[in-house]
Every structure is written in C-alpha cells, then in structure tokens.
Amino acid sequence: MSDTPSRKRQDRSDAPDPTLVKKHMPQSHTAPSGPGFSAIPLPSGPQSAFLPSSPTHFTPLSVPSTPFGPGASIAFPSLPSSASQATSPALSLQTPTTPVVTPPTQSTTPTLPASSSPPTVKFRMDDSGKVHYHAKDDTQARTDHAARYMEMNASDFALFKNAGKRNPSDKVMDPVSGDKYVFDSQQNKFFGYDKTKAGKRGAAMDATLNQELLGKQQDKQLVDRRREDRTKSGQDTLKPFDVGHYNQAPDGSKFDVLSGKKEEAGFVSNRDHIPSGASLQLRDGQPAYNQGLTIAIPNEVMHRPSSATYGGRQTTKDTRDSDAPTARKRLDSDHSGLAFYRDTTTMLARTADTDFTQRSGAKHDYLDLTKPENRVRQVGAYRTLYRGNTRMHAADRDRGVNPGETGHTVSYAATSDGRLGSFSYSQAPSGSSGAPTQGSLMAGHFQEQLRNTKLAK
C-alpha cells in the first residue's frame, strides 16, 4: 500500500503501512490491583466486553460472584427500567385568616424556588451520542425512551457534557425549561442562544428576565456550561482526554487540532485515533488519517497496554460472525461502528478504578480514575469523541463512525504476556425493541459507566 492510498481504493492490502506502525512494540503489562475492572489480570480465556442488547430495555447480564481473575468475564449490569423521578415539594396550606392574594403574572420561562440544593438534569443519549433533555422531549419521545433517561446534578452534568472540549463557551442552561442562554460576565447580562451568531450569542434578554436569570444563577439553579479557550498558543492547551483532529481540522469542524506530544504537569500525551488511523486511511486515504478524531491519553500507561490498535495490533486477525478471520484494520475500515465500540469499551474497562498519577508520564490530576469526577470526565470525553465521529459520518460516509450498523458483542483473548490478543464479534440478540444497533449498544454503555460512578442515576 502506498503512503497515500487513493480514495475508496478496492485492492486493499493486509500489509501494515510503515508510516502508520508505531516504532515501539507493546511491552508486557500487568493490570493494576484494586476494585473494578482494573483489577483484572488479563485472562487466558475469552473475556466479554459488551452490553445488553436492546436500545430501550437492557437485559441483565450475570456478574461473577468471585473477583475477576483468569477466565473471568467482564459483565455490565443492566440498566434500571426507569430513571428516578423528582419529588414535588410539599405545599403549605394557608390559614382561613390569610387574605387571598392574586398571584403575579407568570414568566414564560419556568422558574425555580430559591434553594441551596443543586438542580438535577434529566437526559438521555440517542444512538449517535447526541444528548436529549427530558424538558425538551415531547410526550411520545418520553414514552418511547423512558428507560434511557438518567439524572445528574447540574455541576456533574456540566463536567460530563464539557468533557474533551477545548473551545470556549459561555453557555448556561435552565434545567427546568431546557432553555439555553449565553452569559456575558463583563456585562452581567444574559443573551439568547443562537447557533447562527458569533459566539452563539443572540438577542439580549429583557431586563425582567435577565434579573430572574441572575437570581437563579446566584441560587445555583442553572447549569453552568462555560469554559475557557484552551486552543490558543501559550494557553493551558492540553489536558487528559481532550478531543481533536490528528493534525488537520476540516472546514466547519467543532474541534481543533490536538498538539501532539504536549507535556503538562507530568502528562505526556499521545493522540489515539478512534477508529484507528490505519482503518481510516484504507477508507479514504491520507486526508482521512490526518483529519481523524483523536483523544489525548498517556502513552505508556494507557495507549500502549490498552489500545486494540496500537502498533502491530492493526494486523491481528479478528473474526466477525462466521466470516473468515480478517486483519483488524481492514475489518475496522468496513465496520466503523463496531471498531469504535470495541476500542472504547476495552479502554474504559481496562482503566477503571485506577490511579495512574503515581506512574511516569501520567501525573496529571485527571488521571486518578478512582475519583468519580475524573471517571465522569473520561466517559464524557469518549462520548464527545463518539458524537464528533457520528456527525462526521453523517456528512461523509467515508469518514467517522456509522452508528446504524447491526449491533455486535465483543470478546477477546489475552496473550501470555498480558496484551490484547484476537477479538471475536457476534451479532447481539434482539430484544423487545428489535435488533440493537452498534450505536444503541454504545449509548447504553456510556450510560452504564456514568451510573457506575454513583454521580448519575
């Protein structure tokens, strides 16, 4: 294969592209001890890494009663049938002597009573990774997706939704109405949220509504999604789990280019393509590789030991259904949704509940994944990476990730030195809602990982 394969080339070769193979082969790795998936010394037998089959109802999977060890399976618990409902506050009855007062005219925007308790955000993810708010869904959508809704408090939700994003934002959201605003802290003023305008800033709110929103903000009843610009030279430019293009951002992209081997507070990053760079190059040539979306992770303690596509693993042969074994990069080029699902579920399973900050090249605070807030950052960033890829595929089928593929479960066998061996993929069984898609399995996995942090329910 040449350095720059032609677009949609049919005569693909299994030989690895020398420009894509990493210089260093994987080394022996022993998974760290501790609770959760990170405690797994990779088994000699198959190990499952998939979720239940239905996009709206997840069938419980068995969980081993003994600690993970050789021959154990990774099993993800089932999702509850419905999200917790908020309890309405009790109303105080007036005494007979209290005069009747005509209530003031109500604002068109729902209001929250002053409270010291943070509000919660009720939301769901669709198969493409897009977030939908219960407050904005119509009655039919709420019925159809009742089992998919989950709740997080405002600050934890903002952490999840902002994860992986480096571009600036002044977005603030009312969790009761689902309405979004832009807040200018210099003017102490709220503006409408308009994607067609610079900075997404629409018309200024009238004085009455502005004052109402300021009150809600002071009472911490808004979801503060504001973030600084970390894309400019000289700024605090890179953190673990940042998402961006490998080295070229196409026109109109919502992501910038990651800055490569940036070091910050002991964090030495590597840009991990998902789907793999080699599979993208097979699909659409060198431009697809350069513009592919990547996530910044430490190389020696995450990328090398836990990536299914690091270095020579691209040529490992995997089996899908009853098909003949196929080189991983070629299979990934034909099944991008499966490739993303495999890479993400594998990485999340192998890094759970692990504090990487005591290891060389991974001393950044975000890399202590025993902390629930950091796990929310990690899961949120992979969700951001997934959503960016599904949007890219919607614009160009030769790029990104196809969430509509028939859903397949994933299992793998470890090699004798603890590295990832070959994978096998089997079509997921149908549930009450029909056959799952790869996208529904991915969205379900994200939701389950959030619930596991105990910061979501």
Side-chain angles (χ1 to χ4, degrees):
M1 182 177 65
S2 64
D3 289 343
T4 309
S6 62
R7 186 177 179 88
K8 303 177 183 61
R9 181 174 177 176
Q10 299 299 314
D11 56 338
R12 298 170 173 172
S13 170
D14 286 341
D17 191 322
T19 64
L20 299 178
V21 177
K22 301 288 187 292
K23 294 182 179 179
H24 303 289
M25 293 299 291
Q27 302 300 315
S28 300
H29 174 73
T30 301
S33 62
F37 295 113
S38 62
I40 310 170
L42 289 176
S44 57
Q47 189 171 21
S48 70
F50 58 86
L51 282 182
S53 59
S54 171
T56 57
H57 178 75
F58 297 92
T59 304
L61 296 180
S62 61
V63 180
S65 59
T66 58
F68 289 105
S73 295
I74 299 176
F76 299 98
S78 63
L79 297 179
S81 60
S82 62
S84 301
Q85 300 297 320
T87 304
S88 300
L91 299 177
S92 299
L93 297 178
Q94 295 177 331
T95 63
T97 57
T98 302
V100 177
V101 180
T102 302
T105 303
Q106 296 294 314
S107 168
T108 56
T109 301
T111 61
L112 286 171
S115 171
S116 59
S117 299
T120 60
V121 181
K122 191 172 183 178
F123 67 99
R124 63 181 172 88
M125 281 176 272
D126 66 19
D127 292 5
S128 72
K130 179 178 175 59
V131 169
H132 299 263
Y133 301 101
H134 188 270
K136 289 294 189 182
D137 275 348
D138 59 28
T139 302
Q140 188 61 52
R142 292 178 184 180
T143 300
D144 292 343
H145 304 293
R148 280 194 166 188
Y149 288 107
M150 58 196 315
E151 288 184 82
M152 301 179 76
N153 72 38
S155 58
D156 292 333
F157 176 78
L159 192 67
F160 162 71
K161 197 67 167 61
N162 281 351
K165 299 177 181 179
R166 306 172 67 227
N167 294 312
S169 176
D170 291 318
K171 185 188 298 183
V172 177
M173 188 181 82
D174 186 328
V176 175
S177 66
D179 292 335
K180 300 173 185 176
Y181 303 93
V182 170
F183 180 65
D184 187 324
S185 58
Q186 298 295 321
Q187 300 183 52
N188 206 34
K189 184 178 292 187
F190 286 86
F191 296 80
Y193 185 78
D194 187 343
K195 290 184 176 181
T196 67
K197 305 294 184 182
K200 300 180 180 177
R201 179 182 294 194
M205 298 293 97
D206 63 56
T208 300
L209 181 53
N210 191 71
Q211 195 61 37
E212 181 181 343
L213 290 169
L214 287 172
K216 289 183 179 181
Q217 185 179 49
Q218 183 176 4
D219 292 333
K220 301 186 183 302
Q221 297 299 307
L222 298 179
V223 182
D224 191 346
R225 293 271 313 281
R226 290 176 293 170
R227 57 180 182 266
E228 297 178 349
D229 185 356
R230 294 192 291 107
T231 66
K232 296 181 179 178
S233 177
Q235 300 296 314
D236 184 15
T237 55
L238 199 70
K239 296 185 188 300
F241 313 126
D242 278 351
V243 173
H245 297 282
Y246 182 71
N247 66 13
Q248 181 184 355
D251 293 340
S253 175
K254 299 177 68 174
F255 301 95
D256 69 321
V257 171
L258 292 186
S259 54
K261 306 228 180 248
K262 173 76 176 180
E263 292 192 36
E264 177 198 341
F267 164 55
V268 182
S269 80
N270 206 339
R271 295 165 291 175
D272 184 15
H273 279 91
I274 304 183
S276 72
S279 70
L280 291 173
Q281 193 175 42
L282 282 175
R283 289 166 65 187
D284 207 17
Q286 190 64 31
Y289 181 93
N290 294 338
Q291 296 174 8
L293 285 172
T294 61
I295 187 167
I297 58 174
N299 189 48
E300 295 303 317
V301 299
M302 285 190 184
H303 195 199
R304 183 191 293 271
S306 297
S307 169
T309 56
Y310 187 93
R313 296 168 205 169
Q314 300 272 17
T315 57
T316 302
K317 291 191 175 183
D318 295 337
T319 304
R320 181 178 181 272
D321 297 327
S322 58
D323 298 340
T326 305
R328 186 169 297 162
K329 64 179 180 179
R330 175 169 290 181
L331 191 147
D332 289 359
S333 72
D334 293 334
H335 304 285
S336 57
L338 177 57
F340 191 97
Y341 178 79
R342 179 205 62 222
D343 288 357
T344 299
T345 56
T346 301
M347 182 64 70
L348 291 178
R350 289 167 64 90
T351 59
D353 300 316
T354 304
D355 182 0
F356 292 98
T357 63
Q358 304 305 308
R359 308 182 192 185
S360 176
K363 297 186 181 299
H364 195 285
D365 290 344
Y366 287 5
L367 294 170
D368 181 357
L369 297 178
T370 66
K371 295 181 178 180
E373 64 271 23
N374 286 337
R375 183 64 167 182
V376 166
R377 283 190 177 97
Q378 184 189 28
V379 174
Y382 278 92
R383 199 285 312 182
T384 294
L385 178 65
Y386 179 63
R387 178 60 180 150
N389 267 298
T390 60
R391 290 170 63 92
M392 186 182 290
H393 182 267
D396 185 346
R397 290 183 177 274
D398 289 324
R399 305 290 181 92
V401 167
N402 178 12
E405 294 175 3
T406 301
H408 278 69
T409 61
V410 176
S411 61
Y412 67 89
T415 60
S416 59
D417 60 0
R419 292 183 290 109
L420 292 167
S422 61
F423 285 80
S424 60
Y425 317 113
S426 301
Q427 185 170 332
S430 297
S432 59
S433 300
T437 64
Q438 210 67 60
S440 68
L441 293 179
M442 191 72 261
H445 188 77
F446 286 140
Q447 289 180 252
E448 189 63 21
Q449 295 307 302
L450 288 176
R451 287 191 173 97
N452 288 346
T453 69
K454 308 303 183 186
L455 298 181
K457 59 182 181 179

